Amino acid sequence: MKILLNDHVKFIRQDAEEAWNLRTDESAWQDVVLPHDWAVSCPFDRNCSSGTGYLPGGTGWYRIHFDLPSGFEGKNISVFFEGVYKHASVWCNQYYLGQWANGYTPFSFDLTGTVRAKNNVISVRVSHEDISDSRWYTGSGIERPVYLQIREKVYADEYDSSMETLMADADHARIRIRQAVRNSSDRSQRVSVRSFLRGTFFCEMEQEISAGEEKILEYTGILEKPDIWSLQTPVLTEWKMQVTGENGMTEETMIRTGIRTFCFDPDQGFSLNGVSMKLKGVCLHEDAGSFGNAVPENVWKRRLLKLQKMGANTIRMSHNPHSEALYRLCDELGFLVIDEAFDEWQDPKNKWWHGHNVYPPRHQGYFLDYPQWHEKDIASFVKARRSHPCVIMWSIGNEIDYPNDPYCHESFAEVTGNNDNGKPLEERRYDPDKPDAMRLVALAQNLAELVKKYDTTRPVSLASAFPELSSRTGLFRSLDVIGYNYKEQFYEADHKRFPDQPIFGSENGHDLAAWKAVTEHPYIAGQCLWTGIDYLGETTGWPAHGSRAGHLTTAGFEKEDYYFRQSLWTEKPMIRLCVCEPDAGDWMELRRHSWNAAQGTMVRAEVYTNLPQAELFLNGRSLGRQVHRDEKGKFVWVLPYENGELRAAGYSSADSRETVTDIIRSQKQSCRLGLRLLEQTLLADGNSIGQVQIDVLDADGNLQPEAEDLIETEVSGQASFLHMDNGNLADITPYTARQRRAFGGHLMLYIRTSESPGEIVISAGSRNTGHAQLRFRTEAAE
């Protein structure tokens, strides 16, 4: 039995003295719902670190109150944390249980003997004082769900159990299962274990297991007519384990997994279930703007569906393990996942705290915990995700070999890394006092061996920033697949140098040339764009508090680069028209989906389409049909602005009719607001999150993409206001403010339902638009 411990939680953002005491006075504490990231509820502060988004850390305490259900006596009881950032210390009813340093890996503690029927308290101290500990936003707090687990004394441990597809086709699959059975009783028992796949009996085994011992029971068998997991049909298979002890009590454990095969081939690239394909990947950090790192599942689902529509089929979890909900959604929606453990190992990277590459940096972070914790973190990292069919590769590190940060080598007197804009010359020169890059070889070998201790079914990789050196030091010897960050120019030569090791783009730019380096070389498995979605932190400096490298904003709205990528990665006919100044350069942020300029001003119009021909019309007049894209992969026209309407049409052939069209019009005055609830239903459970999209519209109902109206909101009825996000990473309005400017004509409002079903009323208004209301009802939770 799993019980979600998300409510009846008290929080205080201070290092309260002995807050583990059962008699702690909670009168000054606030009620919160888990998961919870306290940083995003605070104002942006330029005295905080730019690298982590100008938001505070500190120390906080949580007190989780709960009662146990009847019949708990004689059971094994534990608490499971999916992730606490960071340095968590945990007590239960004043009993100290232990610590966990890493903010991204799950952990658990045995509560047996410390709990009672009523009035239990789990106290958690979270310490994040070193706010320059990362190169991107981390958040602070119990950022992922917490569960109570109540099981029989003899049970199957889902995180120590695994299933492997040895062979699969439409008729049958050869499956190997490893069932981890733990006897937590005080005597040896003969245990019976039965496994079912899709509800059908698969195997039964018996084993004598000593008191306090865990044993792995292995079986290989054939499953007839399996449901094959693929990107097009991501069908999951339920694996149920029934463990029965000598007392006759049976404990059931359920794992949702998938039956599929895949291969990284050094000459043919990647294939899934025997079908060759390219990894069309995006890198993702874990935050979602105003949610920080405590992101609800439906918010992730909206984002993933948009990335899937863009053509993405792969997610690289950058640069740490993410929340369980994200892997579960990737399983269900049909994404592949490259899971990543670390951004630094034994020595620190530069952490920017008052602007990117603004010296001097700080040197805080995980490297201080690495010697003591990396083995436990790797075990947790692999065990927690190895049942997910979406996961196809383990990355043991990101840019650990970044030149002179901190590792260097005498063979390069001077080197410039891919992210060294503005870096002083002395910081790019060889320094014999810095750590030697040769040290990384042994560290990588150790990590690769640790990963394979827990999973041999997936390859081990690493995202290399400096293959010019690392390919010669021996760093790649421990890798099954080599990842290159922004180094497409070495693909061809290094494929010849390492004929037995597959290569892929672990991190890449958005340009056409980087994608052609994949499509023109069959041995390159794919690419992972930096990034899929904008994220907090890693900013150039105040007031900007995040990176705009994504295809979606933090509020989940598409940017123009989204549509250009869609034109490269999808087959369903699409077209997008945008404009910019003629000398705007390549930065996609300067493109806009609106038709506004001074009369007669020269304007550059760009059309992104996956069709072979495009035509542009200004106020009904054709400006010509094009069949040749420019070197960037776009159809381009330069024309004088004329008030009215600009329309683009795409054609599948010279003699075909228009297949798809896109229109932009001269902007009119903002007239009204459009409010829309993105969920079909919301439950009255005190925990459901509603996403309300607010659009600024003209009198004809068209979106006004340049509107930045200051919008005030109010939530009444059976829900509470949480926060708003417009996706503008230069807007330092606190996320919890009730008013915020639109950005790109949009704004997202987030609410939380109450536990009582009933009507919710959302009101929004601005000076230009007047007020609008949205009314809907929540459904009773079961």
Side-chain angles (χ1 to χ4, degrees), residues 332-408:
E332 294 171 355
L333 298 177
F335 277 93
L336 302 170
V337 167
I338 298 164
D339 211 4
E340 196 153 70
F342 304 120
D343 187 57
E344 65 184 10
W345 295 345
Q346 199 172 53
D347 294 283
K349 288 182 176 179
N350 292 333
K351 311 299 191 311
W352 308 112
W353 56 283
H354 57 151
H356 190 69
N357 280 352
V358 178
Y359 280 78
R362 288 175 176 165
H363 295 101
Q364 302 171 348
Y366 179 75
F367 76 98
L368 294 168
D369 297 316
Y370 181 89
Q372 179 182 352
W373 285 95
H374 73 277
E375 292 188 15
K376 294 179 182 178
D377 285 331
I378 285 290
S380 175
F381 162 67
V382 176
K383 288 181 180 182
R385 313 301 179 209
R386 62 184 174 184
S387 291
H388 288 279
C390 64
V391 178
I392 57 169
M393 185 155 53
W394 307 113
S395 170
I396 55 176
N398 170 66
E399 296 190 344
I400 305 297
D401 61 342
Y402 196 92
N404 293 356
D405 189 15
Y407 298 95
C408 58

Side-chain angles (χ1 to χ4, degrees), residues 223-236:
L223 178 67
E224 301 293 339
K225 301 295 181 183
D227 296 316
I228 304 298
W229 185 92
S230 69
L231 303 189
Q232 294 74 32
T233 56
V235 182
L236 295 173

Side-chain angles (χ1 to χ4, degrees), residues 416-481:
T416 300
N418 59 55
N419 203 14
D420 279 352
N421 184 38
K423 197 171 188 177
L425 177 60
E426 59 269 22
E427 294 295 330
R428 292 186 272 120
R429 288 175 172 165
Y430 170 67
D431 183 349
D433 292 333
K434 285 190 172 183
D436 190 338
M438 293 299 296
R439 171 64 179 150
L440 295 174
V441 178
L443 294 176
Q445 181 176 350
N446 170 248
L447 289 171
E449 290 173 354
L450 287 172
V451 168
K452 292 186 177 184
K453 178 180 178 181
Y454 304 107
D455 182 33
T456 59
T457 69
R458 297 171 176 88
V460 173
S461 185
L462 175 149
S464 173
F466 197 17
E468 304 96 306
L469 174 63
S470 297
S471 63
R472 290 169 170 80
T473 61
L475 180 61
F476 293 168
R477 284 200 300 265
S478 303
L479 308 179
D480 302 304
V481 178

Side-chain angles (χ1 to χ4, degrees), residues 697-710:
L697 308 173
D698 65 16
D700 298 324
N702 298 310
L703 178 72
Q704 298 296 282
E706 296 184 24
E708 296 185 353
D709 298 56
L710 182 63

Side-chain angles (χ1 to χ4, degrees), residues 685-756:
D685 58 4
N687 195 44
S688 291
I689 303 299
Q691 304 176 88
V692 178
Q693 181 171 323
I694 303 175
D695 298 323
V696 182
L697 308 173
D698 65 16
D700 298 324
N702 298 310
L703 178 72
Q704 298 296 282
E706 296 184 24
E708 296 185 353
D709 298 56
L710 182 63
I711 299 173
E712 296 185 3
T713 60
E714 182 180 343
V715 179
S716 59
Q718 300 301 322
S720 58
F721 172 92
L722 288 179
H723 36 73
M724 293 192 290
D725 190 2
N726 56 14
N728 182 0
L729 288 168
D731 184 350
I732 57 174
T733 305
Y735 284 130
T736 53
R738 300 298 180 102
Q739 59 179 24
R740 197 175 193 88
R741 291 196 177 277
F743 184 65
H746 300 292
L747 183 64
M748 287 299 300
L749 164 67
Y750 301 103
I751 63 172
R752 188 190 304 278
T753 63
S754 70
E755 293 182 351
S756 300

Side-chain angles (χ1 to χ4, degrees), residues 474-491:
L475 180 61
F476 293 168
R477 284 200 300 265
S478 303
L479 308 179
D480 302 304
V481 178
I482 308 171
Y484 279 23
N485 283 15
Y486 309 101
K487 294 298 175 76
E488 297 89 356
Q489 67 268 31
F490 298 115
Y491 285 172

